[in-house]
């Protein structure tokens, strides 16, 4: 399978290209390498690794493997590099090491390939989503007066790890009360009290693929101001979800959400993008934003991304609802439809 | 305190500089920001963040805070950027956004500042080391016929999390038998059997600072070939440790280890560098290697790095012993001296 990916990749890129980003290497070789360089080309792809990975790579990689120093034998005259991954210093080093090569900047060269998920990848994402949902339910069970955000984050992690997760997609965001108004709040020492909103944004990693979900929960009597935000967020999210199908423009989804927020005069409380592609990485191509760099992407079957509108009122609280959405031939599937 | 760091940083850099790397931002602002840009200069440092972090940053940052878009008002003519962090695309974007600025590549601009740990940082590193050691002891207690590497990794993580770790420095490396011959093996499904070596390379994060330690353990009767490797590694490590004091050249430590391995005709089984600086990141400046980019660094009091020689014999096993070392006025302190 990985070898057919390598072939498709070489065909799609058109020119020989260095692949070095960790998730790209995992996608093409099946290996987790903290340092590796894969020369993708139509003739013979070669994975270059240092001594630490050499024995393992020779056993596991779906292509020939050479030690790092063997790169000096590369004969190509034009090579692409991932200019969205390689640092400016890395670029200077490439020019110095290979003075006769013409370097072609190719930002995120695998992004389109990785954006269309294969059935096996979709199955893994569903498993990750399912475990994420079960972990969330565990968190809800543990809500009680005085419990801390940190304690709940640990409960979530332990539950997921014991039930097949290799890790978490990110450090859990669990926010009580006003903390929920900070979209990137981390679970901290705050304790839960009656009348607070609980925002839970969590994800488990299963079979290398990542889950990501956000829900809110009212502990005791809800604040009407927060309830209003929730109603608007849910309505806006539904507008976007209903529109997801092959052929539509990505930017349109965020525009629909923004129009809804505008109508309710809360647009200024929406401070981030609508969502992001998800797969081997928690945040991957495409970014779902009306004016983002991926705004012109046209939806295709097999794409999986989050839809997560949010409204944040400092001093009051924030509401975000996040689902993982698969674009299907007919329209879409929400991995958290049951939730 | 963070503000005094900002002042020292501006003084040391000499020119205004954009700081964007996450650990650098944490070091200078005390905040964990997945996206942020700090303009360090002698007059008035400014932290630029997007809407997600704005409210939080205004409360917590030790300098003035502005929204991302306000950068267009920056009047500087020459600005440094972290060319070891900013990607090639990022560099092109800077040139496009600020066409009148002369951009000065400054790879890892904070590396010297961060390499010399303050007393508070040393205290946090000691706490991280101590918890790492206790977690390792927990793993040793759980060794039994048939237990899997993964189960032990989870034991380690749970123990650390329950005892004050905010996370792990990296995914635990726990390797049974021949797996230990792969320096970057991850804990997997392999089960423990009599006569196997167990290699445990783990670290806990406490108060933002990171622990990192490697030990081996024999489960049952040891393989004499592995015991020989262990004796050589220990002798080589002692040679390096005994030499650590202010004023010596970093490369010398790795040279001592290599000389010892050479004498024993096992140099080809040593496939990585001797160690790495450790602090807010698991791997930070300086890299301890005889021919590495930091080979000319002169040791100074307050530096903390690992010393971790290893020998790896495919099909037999590997041995690595790793300690965390603080350079003191008199010589050094090993955080795992008791271990």
């Amino acid at each position: 399978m990985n070898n057919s990916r390598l072939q498709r990749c070489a065909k799609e890129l058109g020119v020989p290209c260095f692949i070095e980003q960790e998730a790209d290497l995992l996608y093409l070789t099946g290996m987790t390498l903290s340092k590796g360089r894969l020369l993708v080309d139509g003739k013979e792809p070669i994975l270059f690794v240092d001594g630490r990975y050499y024995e393992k790579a020779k056993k596991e990689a779906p292509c020939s493997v050479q030690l790092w120093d063997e790169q000096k034998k590369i004969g190509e005259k034009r090579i692409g590099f991932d200019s969205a991954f390689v640092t400016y210093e890395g670029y200077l080093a490439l020019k110095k090491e290979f003075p006769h090569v013409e370097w072609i900047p190719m930002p995120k060269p695998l992004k389109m390939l990785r954006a269309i998920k294969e059935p096996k990848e979709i199955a893994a994402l569903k498993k990750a989503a399912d475990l994420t949902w079960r972990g969330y339910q565990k968190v809800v069970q543990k809500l009680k007066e005085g419990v801390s955000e940190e304690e709940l984050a640990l409960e979530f992690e332990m539950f997921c790890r014991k039930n097949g997760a290799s890790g978490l997609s990110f450090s859990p965001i669990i926010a009580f009360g006003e903390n929920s108004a900070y979209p990137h709040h981390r679970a901290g020492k705050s304790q839960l009290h009656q009348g607070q909103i609980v925002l839970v944004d969590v994800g488990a990693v299963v079979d290398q693929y990542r889950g990501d979900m956000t829900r809110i929960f009212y502990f005791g009597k809800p604040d009407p101001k927060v309830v209003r935000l929730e109603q608007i967020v849910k309505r806006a999210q539904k507008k976007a979800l209903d529109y997801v199908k092959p052929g539509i423009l990505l930017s349109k989804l965020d525009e629909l959400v923004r129009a809804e927020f505008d109508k309710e005069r809360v647009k200024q409380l929406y401070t981030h993008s609508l969502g992001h592609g998800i797969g081997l990485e928690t945040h991957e191509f495409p970014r779902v934003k009306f004016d983002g760099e991926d705004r012109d992407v046209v939806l295709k079957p097999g794409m999986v991304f989050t839809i997560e509108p949010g409204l944040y009122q400092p001093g009051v609280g924030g509401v975000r609802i996040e689902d993982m959405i698969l674009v299907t031939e007919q329209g879409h599937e929400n991995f958290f439809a049951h939730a």
Side-chain angles (χ1 to χ4, degrees), chain A:
Chain A
M1 173 220 72
N2 281 328
N3 202 283
S4 93
R5 279 187 191 167
L6 265 171
Q7 285 160 9
R8 269 187 293 146
C9 181
K11 201 175 152 189
E12 199 162 302
L13 296 178
V15 292
C17 187
F18 274 172
I19 301 295
E20 304 188 68
Q21 197 253 10
E22 200 169 329
D24 284 349
L25 288 173
L26 176 58
Y27 184 78
L28 290 177
T29 71
M31 290 187 69
T32 300
L33 300 159
S34 65
K35 182 185 171 192
R37 188 175 273 171
L38 177 65
L39 174 65
V40 174
D41 76 20
K43 289 171 289 177
E44 198 210 350
I46 306 169
L47 175 63
F48 297 96
V49 293
D50 60 27
R52 293 175 303 174
Y53 293 109
Y54 188 60
E55 294 298 330
K56 197 175 171 71
K58 276 203 296 184
K59 275 194 199 169
E60 297 180 11
C63 62
S64 73
V65 175
Q66 295 185 14
L67 277 166
W68 199 256
D69 287 343
E70 299 297 307
Q71 290 179 69
K72 55 180 175 286
K73 294 182 190 154
I74 291 173
E76 310 290 353
K77 294 279 171 274
R78 297 180 76 223
I79 306 180
F81 71 103
D82 182 352
S83 50
F85 175 74
V86 172
T87 64
Y88 184 72
E89 288 297 314
Y91 167 72
L92 296 180
L94 285 176
K95 287 211 298 182
K96 198 174 156 189
E97 275 176 69
F98 305 87
H100 303 299
V101 171
E102 178 191 348
W103 291 101
I104 306 160
M106 299 174 80
K108 297 187 190 175
L110 266 63
K111 67 180 183 182
M112 284 308 300
L113 206 63
R114 281 179 48 194
I116 311 294
K117 266 69 179 177
E118 299 163 9
K120 214 171 93 171
E121 296 182 279
I122 292 167
L125 282 165
K126 280 186 181 173
K127 275 165 80 174
D130 182 59
L131 184 56
T132 299
W133 171 244
R134 286 163 55 213
Y136 166 74
Q137 287 176 305
K138 187 80 188 175
V139 168
V140 171
Q141 278 170 28
K142 296 280 175 176
L143 292 176
K144 62 176 184 199
E145 183 74 26
V147 73
S148 76
E149 294 168 347
E150 271 177 357
E151 283 164 350
L152 295 178
L154 190 54
E155 284 287 346
F156 176 78
E157 179 160 1
M158 303 249 173
F159 177 85
C160 292
R161 296 297 290 262
K162 282 186 179 157
N163 288 278
S166 63
L168 301 187
S169 307
F170 51 90
S171 184
I173 298 171
I174 296 183
F176 297 159
E178 294 180 22
N179 291 345
S180 62
Y182 303 112
H184 277 241
H185 177 78
R186 300 276 149 168
K189 299 202 185 302
S190 300
Q191 293 181 317
L192 184 60
H193 300 299
Q194 279 294 321
Q196 283 186 316
I197 184 179
V198 180
L199 184 146
V200 181
D201 184 350
V202 286
V205 183
V206 180
D207 297 344
Q208 312 270 20
Y209 283 79
R210 287 160 182 254
D212 192 358
M213 185 193 91
T214 309
R215 288 292 182 272
I216 60 155
F217 189 94
Y218 296 112
F219 188 67
K221 197 170 172 295
D223 178 343
K225 280 184 267 183
V226 177
V227 173
R228 177 173 173 257
L229 296 180
E230 185 196 9
Q231 288 165 344
I232 301 170
V233 167
K234 282 191 165 165
R235 211 153 53 224
Q237 199 209 25
K238 191 172 182 311
K239 290 244 155 120
L241 283 179
D242 287 348
Y243 205 78
V244 175
K245 57 173 178 286
I248 76 130
L249 211 57
L250 195 66
S251 56
K252 182 71 184 170
L253 302 176
D254 195 30
E255 280 164 12
L256 286 167
V257 165
R258 277 168 200 274
E260 187 66 26
F261 288 166
D262 205 20
K263 206 174 74 185
E264 300 286 346
R265 297 171 188 277
V266 292
K267 205 172 64 173
Q268 75 286 2
L269 305 181
Y270 176 43
T271 54
H272 53 70
S273 52
L274 183 60
H276 52 84
I278 184 164
L280 290 171
E281 292 173 284
T282 306
H283 293 100
E284 56 181 50
F285 171 84
R287 186 173 181 206
V288 187
K289 189 157 191 275
F290 77 105
D291 62 350
E293 66 274 25
D294 305 328
R295 60 185 178 275
D296 296 332
V297 168
V298 174
L299 298 195
K300 290 200 181 80
M303 286 183 172
V304 179
F305 48 80
T306 68
I307 298 273
E308 48 178 311
L311 292 170
Y312 310 91
Q313 194 159 352
V316 175
V319 173
R320 180 168 66 256
I321 314 279
E322 176 182 26
D323 289 315
M324 288 168 69
I325 308 299
L326 165 70
V327 182
T328 62
E329 297 289 346
Q330 292 76 35
H332 69 271
E333 179 182 346
N334 184 347
F335 293 168
F336 297 110
H338 56 291

